[in-house]
Amino acid sequence: MAVELNHTVIHARDKRASAEFLAEVLGLEVGAPFGPFLPVDTGNGVTLDYYEAADGDFTPGHYAFLVPDEEFDAMIGRLDRMRVTHYADPQHTEPDRINRLFGGRGAYFDDPSGHNMEIITRPYSR
């Protein structure tokens, strides 16, 4: 049996703002609340469950999304329309550029809670 990731909790300062932000960028929808969580279904069986940190104190994480190459430009366009800077690198030193690692395209951007989000069109070689 293969092991698959089913869901993960993403802490946020404002769970609705963060969930709606990511759903907008990726072209997804925010689901109905599930207890204290606000889910975003990625379409591959994984749900991102946004949870509002009561004190706003959490360590921002990094989340990478493998996206279809034909959707990448639309996602960059959405970031531009939302006036969110994207970067070619995880340190955010190359603004308004993309990378071309492993024969694909990729970009990094911050969500409203400070998480370092990444979109890539090819998985990293391992």
Side-chain angles (χ1 to χ4, degrees):
M1 175 180 121
V3 175
E4 297 179 5
L5 180 65
N6 178 264
H7 66 276
T8 191
V9 173
I10 299 179
H11 290 89
R13 292 182 185 92
D14 178 332
K15 66 183 176 186
R16 179 153 303 277
S18 290
E20 288 178 353
F21 170 84
L22 186 64
E24 173 76 20
V25 172
L26 299 181
L28 303 172
E29 293 185 15
V30 176
F34 181 72
F37 304 108
L38 194 58
V40 175
D41 186 335
T42 62
N44 64 343
V46 177
T47 303
L48 307 174
D49 293 328
Y50 280 87
Y51 179 79
E52 201 156 308
D55 60 3
D57 187 28
F58 57 88
T59 301
H62 170 67
Y63 300 90
F65 301 93
L66 182 62
V67 302
D69 188 67
E70 58 272 9
E71 295 294 322
F72 185 85
D73 290 332
M75 292 175 188
I76 294 295
R78 289 183 200 117
L79 288 167
D80 290 345
R81 280 192 299 283
M82 296 165 77
R83 297 181 181 195
V84 174
T85 303
H86 64 275
Y87 302 85
D89 62 311
Q91 297 82 17
H92 294 193
T93 63
E94 299 178 57
D96 301 316
R97 296 183 57 204
I98 66 168
N99 65 59
R100 297 192 178 274
L101 299 174
F102 306 102
R105 298 184 292 164
Y108 297 83
F109 56 95
D110 282 338
D111 86 338
S113 290
H115 296 293
N116 191 10
M117 303 302 206
E118 179 183 13
I119 53 176
I120 55 175
T121 61
R122 296 278 163 89
Y124 290 163
S125 298
R126 299 193 191 266

